């Protein structure tokens, strides 16, 4: 069965520093991977996805993610964090059934301090 | 482009009562999803529609939950009777047909069952 794991419940960084939010996946074939962000009392917002191609994927708000097949990871990164990046981040993998539903990780809270 | 609309935003009911949630997807999106997000967890798919047909309802508690998507556009999710453990945020999402497309989420309905 497909799954994703986000090993950190919370990540704390100072504003202006680089940030990394970790995600590892388990799939039986080639993965379709996604990152979403959730602000308080809001729905999830799509950040970026990896389907195929370049291992470095660029997304919204200056975020990027690096796909690493050998380490089965898809870590979310940003070179310089903003206080406004503070939110809950979810990694997701597409289920390999015909439905293509998303399977989400538990989420990682990012706290960026001024 | 208008996003996914959901109503109501908040609902408080007593256990054993019934409740209904409404979702209007992004125009042209054939696929519609209902997710349940319990506090501290990632969203879990309840049901997925392709146009007005059900694609996946394997995790829908069918003894109390029901959903429909009339005319392949709007959708309604109903709970009858509600239990305390149904307290959660119910998220509606839509996407273009095809598993590589990202899903766009509505703001969600926060349900509290007392």
């Amino acid at each position: 069965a497909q799954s994703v794991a986000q090993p950190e419940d919370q990540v704390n960084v100072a504003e202006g520093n680089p940030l990394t939010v970790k995600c590892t996946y388990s799939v039986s074939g080639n993965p379709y991977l996604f990152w979403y962000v959730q602000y308080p009392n809001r729905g999830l917002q799509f950040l970026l996805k990896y389907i195929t191609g370049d291992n470095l994927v660029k997304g919204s708000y200056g975020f990027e993610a690096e796909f690493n097949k050998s380490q089965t990871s898809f870590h979310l990164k940003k070179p310089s964090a903003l206080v406004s990046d503070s939110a809950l981040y979810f990694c997701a993998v597409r289920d390999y059934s015909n439905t293509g539903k998303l399977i989400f990780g538990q989420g990682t809270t990012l706290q960026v301090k001024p | 482009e208008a996003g996914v609309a959901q109503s109501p935003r908040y609902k408080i009911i007593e256990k054993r009562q019934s409740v209904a949630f409404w979702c209007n997807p992004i125009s042209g999106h054939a696929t519609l999803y209902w997710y349940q997000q319990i506090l501290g967890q990632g969203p879990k798919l309840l049901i997925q529609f392709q146009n007005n047909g059900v694609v996946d309802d394997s995790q829908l508690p069918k003894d109390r939950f029901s959903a429909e998507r009339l005319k392949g556009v709007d959708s309604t999710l109903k709970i009858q009777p509600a239990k305390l453990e149904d307290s959660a945020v119910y998220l509606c999402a839509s996407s273009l047909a095809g598993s590589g497309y990202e899903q766009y989420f509505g703001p969600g309905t926060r349900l509290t069952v007392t």
Side-chain angles (χ1 to χ4, degrees), chain A residues 50-56 67:
Chain A
Y50 172 83
I51 304 297
T52 187
D54 195 347
N55 288 343
L56 186 63
F67 172 69

Side-chain angles (χ1 to χ4, degrees), chain B residues 49-102:
Chain B
F49 293 92
Q50 182 81 8
N51 297 308
N52 60 353
V54 175
V55 175
D56 185 346
D57 63 358
S58 57
Q59 297 190 83
L60 187 74
K62 299 180 186 62
D63 58 332
R64 298 184 300 107
F65 286 63
S66 64
E68 60 182 7
R69 190 182 184 195
L70 300 177
K71 301 180 181 179
V73 182
D74 292 5
S75 178
T76 302
L77 176 70
K78 297 179 181 178
I79 307 175
Q80 182 179 7
K83 292 185 175 182
L84 295 177
E85 59 261 35
D86 298 332
S87 294
V89 175
Y90 291 85
L91 295 165
C92 179
S94 70
S95 72
L96 294 169
S99 55
Y101 293 105
E102 58 270 25

Side-chain angles (χ1 to χ4, degrees), chain A residues 60-99:
Chain A
S60 306
Y61 313 120
F63 284 93
E64 57 190 26
E66 186 172 9
F67 172 69
N68 188 316
K69 189 171 184 178
S70 63
Q71 297 185 7
T72 62
S73 66
F74 189 56
H75 300 334
L76 181 70
K77 300 181 179 182
K78 189 174 183 181
S80 179
L82 300 173
V83 172
S84 57
D85 292 330
S86 299
L88 183 58
Y89 290 80
F90 289 98
C91 181
V93 65
R94 192 207 75 164
D95 186 86
Y96 255 71
S97 65
N98 289 334
T99 68

Side-chain angles (χ1 to χ4, degrees), chain A residues 10-83:
Chain A
Q10 181 159 330
V11 171
N12 299 310
V13 297
E15 187 174 31
N17 283 0
L19 69 88
T20 298
V21 182
K22 296 180 180 178
C23 172
T24 59
Y25 64 89
S26 175
V27 300
S28 55
N30 292 322
Y32 287 11
L33 295 159
F34 300 79
W35 274 102
Y36 284 83
V37 60
Q38 187 174 35
Y39 296 99
N41 299 316
R42 302 276 297 275
L44 278 71
Q45 295 179 34
F46 170 75
L47 283 178
L48 50 81
K49 66 181 178 183
Y50 172 83
I51 304 297
T52 187
D54 195 347
N55 288 343
L56 186 63
V57 179
K58 295 188 181 298
S60 306
Y61 313 120
F63 284 93
E64 57 190 26
E66 186 172 9
F67 172 69
N68 188 316
K69 189 171 184 178
S70 63
Q71 297 185 7
T72 62
S73 66
F74 189 56
H75 300 334
L76 181 70
K77 300 181 179 182
K78 189 174 183 181
S80 179
L82 300 173
V83 172

